[in-house]
Amino acid sequence: MHVHFQDEWSDEDQDVLRREVDGQIRLSFASPPEDHNTEVLVAGRPDEKLLDRLRGLHSVIVPFAGPPGKTMAMLADRPDLSLYNIHHNAVPVAELALGLLLAAARHIPLRDRLLRTGDWTGSYHLPSMILRGKRVLILGRGAISGELEAPLRALGMELRFIRNNPRNGAEDEFHPRELHRLLEETDILISTLPLSDDSRGLIAEKELELLGPRGILINVGRGRVIDEDALYTALADRTIQAAGLDVWYHYPRGEGRAGSTLPGARPFWELENLVMSPHIAGEWPNPEVQRMRLQALARRINDIFHKNPVPKVETDRGY
Ligand SMILES: NC(=O)c1ccc[n+]([C@@H]2O[C@H](COP(=O)([O-])OP(=O)(O)OC[C@H]3O[C@@H](n4cnc5c(N)ncnc54)[C@H](O)[C@@H]3O)[C@@H](O)[C@H]2O)c1
Ligand SMILES: O=C(O)[C@H](O)COP(=O)(O)O
């Protein structure tokens, strides 16, 4: 089997990948081979011309968890190709979700800011939430929510999960059609959902109203699962208590450059009951996470080669 990597990978990364993949699998990094088949393409945003040009191609792997919408749309038109992803960063994402929750429940960033201006008592009366005994509804029961489960239970919280295909007999798993009933019994809503036609805007005005004025919302999945205007208004009017967001509606141009600011139709940065981070839950620049990415990617390639069962990303679910 031949695997081509479309994007640039450092010499060190290439060495790790060559070490970790099965010896019978050939890898190419610069230009793809002209003279024989290339069964697997690894690409963040696959080049359509390359997809057409590679002979024998049957699989595409995006080397992260959330394939971009354009990739999903492009591959929806290519039923001959299977799309795979990796979930290497579930632990760091779950850890940041936990951090956002603790920070939002206890106003940690705001209290820090007030103290820096010499205000010792100004934050005493903010409405805080004690987490023990509270009910958490997690949207999605995949890699990230799996890593959230143990720490949230250790804090004494009750968990329920929504997934589009709840398993028979799993008493804490529910279908999205039960969302409204569950929200009425929820203190904390955490979204780990990918973006699809089903999930886009799933949480809007009505859902935030059901979460209620004591409710806290955390989003580490994809921004547009939560309706932008509804969330801004709910936070500004305090019809929900607080939120913690890692994922956004609009991203700065030149993302990653020093000086980039958060753009958007709504000034989220002015809200005191919002804790924010710049889509960094996956900690992609961290060398430890990069090692986890390379190992997960090599495992995915080996699994495809050995025909081990691996869930595909469902491109027909929209994007
Ligand atoms: N903030 C970040 O840096 C960061 C990092 C990694 C992943 N992500 C995002 O988080 C998403 C989830 O990551 P994961 O590794 O846990 O993926 P996963 O595939 O392991 O889990 C996703 C879960 O969501 C469920 N689901 C999907 N669509 C649904 C819908 N419409 N309604 C109900 N349930 C639905 C699936 O059944 C599955 O249980 C990724 O797709 C990506 O968009 C964000
Ligand atoms: O790992 C990454 O590339 C970033 O953390 C983004 O990951 P995601 O696509 O899994 O959000």
Side-chain angles (χ1 to χ4, degrees), residues 62-68 86-89 93 144 220-222 246-247 279-285 289-290 293:
V62 294
F64 38 78
I86 54 172
H87 303 277
H88 66 290
N89 54 17
V93 176
I144 296 171
V220 290
R222 283 291 178 258
D246 182 57
V247 285
H279 198 146
I280 194 64
E283 290 291 355
W284 48 269
V289 176
Q290 180 63 0
R293 183 196 303 278

Side-chain angles (χ1 to χ4, degrees), residues 137 139 160 162 178-189 202-203 206-208 210-212:
L137 180 62
L139 303 179
R160 287 161 161 189
I162 285 199
E178 295 191 71
L179 177 63
H180 284 184
R181 178 182 69 78
L182 295 168
L183 276 172
E184 283 178 312
E185 300 164 5
T186 293
D187 302 297
I188 294 154
L189 178 64
L202 184 71
I203 303 301
K206 174 75 183 165
E207 291 70 28
L208 293 172
L210 289 169
L211 182 61

